[in-house]
Amino acid sequence: MGEQINLNFSAFGTELNAGAFACFRALYVNAQNSINKSGPQATYEKPLAELLEASGNRDVAGVANSIREILQCKVECRQGDYRYFFPFFTSVCIENGMVKYGVQREIESAITRIPVPGI
């Protein structure tokens, strides 16, 4: 009852290129800030222009490629004697100048106590 869930994002730092990792960090911080402010949400949004600037990508195709890389990485979740691996996103799209995405429930429940990976 109330067992601690430990999340490990080390794969993101080792498997993503610099632009994709910067994109991941920006989306992580955005979700973290939104949860701290308003609680968990079904969908998080970040303006594409802000993500372009934060990640160093030059165009939408660069952000899309970064998102593809992020989708390939898995978060390691340890709960008791078990280890689970799952993607960061539950959904993600670029629409009308916004990046809209959902994150796994386990991440939402722990994101406020886990520092931003790689910073």
Side-chain angles (χ1 to χ4, degrees):
M1 192 171 171
E3 189 172 306
Q4 184 76 18
I5 295 175
N6 296 308
L7 300 179
N8 183 337
F9 292 91
S10 63
F12 291 81
T14 59
E15 295 179 18
L16 296 177
N17 69 43
F21 189 63
C23 185
F24 165 71
R25 279 196 326 253
L27 294 172
Y28 184 97
V29 168
N30 184 66
Q32 190 177 54
N33 290 342
S34 294
I35 291 169
N36 283 331
K37 183 178 178 182
S38 305
Q41 302 164 26
T43 303
Y44 301 92
E45 296 185 0
K46 182 153 185 79
L48 179 58
E50 289 179 17
L51 191 57
L52 285 166
E53 184 177 331
S55 67
N57 284 300
R58 296 179 187 200
D59 55 19
V60 177
V63 170
N65 286 331
S66 291
I67 290 170
R68 282 186 197 98
E69 284 190 45
I70 295 166
L71 285 166
Q72 298 302 312
C73 285
K74 303 293 185 225
V75 177
E76 180 181 345
C77 176
R78 290 184 183 202
Q79 189 172 13
D81 294 335
Y82 299 98
R83 289 175 33 177
Y84 305 94
F85 297 89
F86 49 82
F88 177 73
F89 297 118
T90 56
S91 64
V92 62
C93 71
I94 300 172
E95 180 178 77
N96 298 324
M98 298 293 284
V99 177
K100 300 176 182 183
Y101 60 102
V103 298
Q104 297 289 341
R105 182 178 40 88
E106 292 84 357
I107 293 171
E108 283 182 326
S109 67
I111 200 169
T112 57
R113 63 178 171 74
I114 297 174
V116 179
I119 295 179

